[in-house]
Amino acid sequence: MGATDFLIYAYGLVPHDHTAARFPDGIDDAPVEVQRTPPAGVLVSRLPQQTYAPRVIEESSGDVSWLSPRAMAHDRVLTWAQEHGGVVPFPMFTMFGSGDALSRSLEQRAAGIARVFRKVGGADEFGVRVHRRDDQMLSVIDRLDPDLDALRREATAAPPGQRYLLERKIAERGKTSVRGVSQRIPREVYDGLRSIARDAVSRPLTPDATRADVTLVLNGAFLVDRSRVDEFRAAVAARIREHEPNGLVFDFTGPWPPYNFVADAVSGGGDGEAARA
């Protein structure tokens, strides 16, 4: 194949002083190398244009069997890079028609790239997702809602007729209270962890089709200095111990490359050169 038969696949940015004797295999087991540009180094592979033209990617990306191994390879390269000096990740299928096109695109975003390296250097991303188990929280809601607890004690002491009415009121209020408590506690969890992190973002509460038994109430990403990782882990563990008995289920993941904190550097993606190569 000639030079124009290939596209440049960009995984992410690494510091200028990034050096490595070996790299992990990239997409389709393609070799990974560093292309040096004025703003930063770029981890890249050369992929055949006939396989990775924009039209082909659009047609194939809905096929999980096609997409999954490529997503795993993309993540493998970025995770390795994060462990070997840090990386600013690009989204999957950030493609360029040539090395020159890649360099031109990055030069136009040099100021944003410099800001992002300062922002994420020496830090890792961690994810904290919190789900609510309705039945479990409802069974302990009195101890989480003082007003509901007071109403329950009033019903216990009331004569039978009034007690019936109060118990109906408690049942109606219990479900509303569950929703309120499951908004308040995750907000407190997020704010407490954010005070330890360098930065944090609250991501959309997108339901997980595989977790139909629970409701997602917090989807947080936290950028944590490596010097404070142990402190952050301990803080997460303390909140798990405190809140899991009340019907909140925690998913704690990481460390990851800083996927959610690099918008200044990755906005724009490829420059469209791929379609014209």
Side-chain angles (χ1 to χ4, degrees), residues 10 90-96 101-102 105-106 108-109 263-273:
F90 282 154
M92 282 190 68
F93 303 123
T94 299
M95 313 282 286
F96 298 85
L102 169 57
S105 178
L106 295 188
Q108 294 171 1
R109 290 178 274 158
D264 284 354
V266 305
S267 58
D271 63 352
E273 289 290 330

Side-chain angles (χ1 to χ4, degrees), residues 121-200:
D124 293 306
E125 179 175 320
F126 291 85
V128 178
R129 290 166 61 91
V130 181
H131 296 83
R132 181 187 76 217
R133 293 191 185 277
D134 287 19
D135 291 347
Q136 185 178 356
M137 181 172 283
L138 188 59
S139 70
V140 297
I141 194 62
D142 290 7
R143 72 185 186 209
L144 301 175
D145 184 340
D147 292 338
L148 196 59
D149 181 52
L151 195 60
R152 180 82 66 183
R153 284 187 278 107
E154 181 183 348
T156 301
Q162 185 180 0
R163 183 185 308 158
Y164 172 76
L165 295 175
L166 287 172
E167 287 176 346
R168 287 189 58 184
K169 184 176 181 180
I170 289 169
E172 293 172 359
R173 177 161 177 170
K175 295 179 180 179
T176 302
S177 184
V178 162
R179 290 192 293 270
V181 167
S182 65
Q183 292 173 356
R184 173 178 58 80
I185 294 178
R187 184 165 57 247
E188 293 171 354
V189 168
Y190 177 81
D191 290 343
L193 296 178
R194 184 174 187 173
S195 70
I196 302 170
R198 185 186 298 182
D199 198 3

Side-chain angles (χ1 to χ4, degrees), residues 215-228:
T215 301
L216 182 63
V217 293
L218 174 64
N219 186 9
F222 300 85
L223 184 68
V224 183
D225 284 286
R226 290 177 186 146
S227 62
R228 303 192 71 180

Side-chain angles (χ1 to χ4, degrees), residues 19 21 37 54 60 64 69 72 74 99-100 107 131 148-149 154 165 174 209 213 226 229 235 243 263 269 277:
T19 58
T37 73
S60 303
V64 174
M72 292 174 63
H74 182 87
D100 288 342
E107 287 176 24
H131 296 83
L148 196 59
D149 181 52
E154 181 183 348
L165 295 175
D213 59 323
R226 290 177 186 146
V229 166
H243 296 302

